[in-house]
Amino acid sequence: MIIVGSGQAGLAVAAALIAKGLQPQQDFVVIDEAAPGLRSWASRWHSMVLLSDARHSALPGLPFPGNQRRRPRVDEMIEYLSDVEVDLGVKTLWGVRATGLERRGSGSVLHLSTTEGEVQTRNVVCATGAATHPRTPTWAKELQVPGVVLHSSEYLYPRQIPTNDVLIVGGGNSGVELARELAPSHAVTLAVRTARRHKPASRYLRRQLFARGSRPEPVFGDNYEQLRDVGVSIRPAVAKAGRNAVTFVDGTVATPGSVILATGFDPGDDWLPDDARTVPPQRTMTGLPGMFVAGIPQYGGGGSDTIAGVFRDATIIARHIIERP
């Protein structure tokens, strides 16, 4: 079988399969389109920390090192996943991208197309992540500003923003964290489409492990009032843009120096066939026998994009694979 993706989802599935007695490189192979070791965490901004503490950011039996009550930094997460890969004995085939999948006829064999050729296998796990492709509003293409227009996935540190003022579009956790980081050095405006509730991360994430639904995720760090206290201006959503100006839904107009689009991501399931990208018949399963998805809430439910949640997905997938006729 083949696991597509060597991030937290792919390694969780590998750990669950090993717990069932399967051997890496013998019974299953892990592939990833990234350069060796460059998991998606490597592209996040430098000061980013996980929403959960170390206790809830590790796979069972593979604890995070150090203080268990701290929220790990991105670089610590990168190192942790690399250590997990070694501990499991997984040798990821890096630089190999999945491009398509199909079942020919009524047989049980799946044909996985990759950049290295086609592979036949009975089982494939899509572990390519819930936050894979940056999502940008259509109006962003029309915007021309003195500074920069970039997605939050491209942001690394405050000096990257050359102008004194910056408009951050998106009131979720990314937008709130970036507004707080930039507030001491820039005049920050945060455009919010849907006001998010503020909740403690640990309590919310624990509940989400067993929940389904699509209500907006609350913010876990500063709330909007706290942002106002440090000088951040909160505005309504952006309705449209033209050249150097943006128009908010209340009809007011602004001419930002720079713009950061904290507008979220689309999942990495775009290489799956249409009959697999439907409402799953059961958690982690798809409409294509032998095709499973780990780490994407649309298939596994709330919390699937967290470490604890994805291991729940992984154990279900491992059981299905072992029990599959």
Side-chain angles (χ1 to χ4, degrees), residues 93-294:
L93 298 178
W94 297 99
V96 181
R97 178 168 59 89
T99 58
L101 183 74
E102 62 177 320
R103 182 178 67 161
R104 297 168 187 166
S106 57
S108 61
V109 175
L110 299 175
H111 297 258
L112 177 68
S113 298
T114 77
T115 49
E116 295 296 316
E118 185 178 283
V119 184
Q120 296 183 19
T121 182
R122 291 189 77 247
N123 300 289
V124 174
V125 180
C126 170
T128 41
T132 303
H133 304 298
R135 186 188 308 127
T136 59
T138 55
W139 52 257
K141 298 176 182 178
E142 307 297 323
L143 195 56
Q144 300 176 20
V145 297
V148 295
V149 177
L150 49 80
H151 189 269
S152 60
S153 60
E154 303 170 285
Y155 172 81
L156 297 175
Y157 43 78
R159 290 195 308 276
Q160 196 177 0
I161 309 303
T163 56
N164 290 329
D165 68 298
V166 57
L167 168 66
I168 299 174
V169 181
N173 282 289
S174 293
V176 166
E177 288 187 27
L178 294 182
R180 187 65 182 85
E181 171 162 298
L182 288 165
S185 57
H186 293 72
V188 179
T189 298
L190 179 66
V192 177
R193 178 176 299 279
T194 303
R196 309 292 185 95
R197 296 168 297 153
H198 183 266
K199 286 195 173 184
S202 57
R203 187 188 311 162
Y204 175 79
L205 292 174
R206 283 197 299 270
R207 190 174 71 250
Q208 279 296 91
L209 297 184
F210 306 100
R212 285 183 178 269
S214 57
R215 286 196 296 178
E217 179 184 77
V219 292
F220 302 127
D222 293 311
N223 59 37
Y224 299 141
E225 287 304 316
Q226 290 171 317
L227 290 179
R228 287 190 178 97
D229 289 342
V230 296
V232 175
S233 174
I234 308 296
R235 301 294 300 276
V238 175
K240 61 181 180 179
R243 295 187 64 82
N244 65 341
V246 298
T247 303
F248 299 102
V249 292
D250 62 359
T252 57
V253 177
T255 54
S258 292
V259 178
I260 299 176
L261 303 168
T263 44
F265 295 82
D266 289 322
D269 63 347
D270 50 309
W271 56 276
L272 300 183
D274 290 341
D275 53 353
R277 298 171 64 190
T278 56
V279 176
Q282 296 183 47
R283 193 184 295 268
T284 75
M285 298 180 70
T286 70
L288 192 62
M291 176 74 241
F292 304 93
V293 180

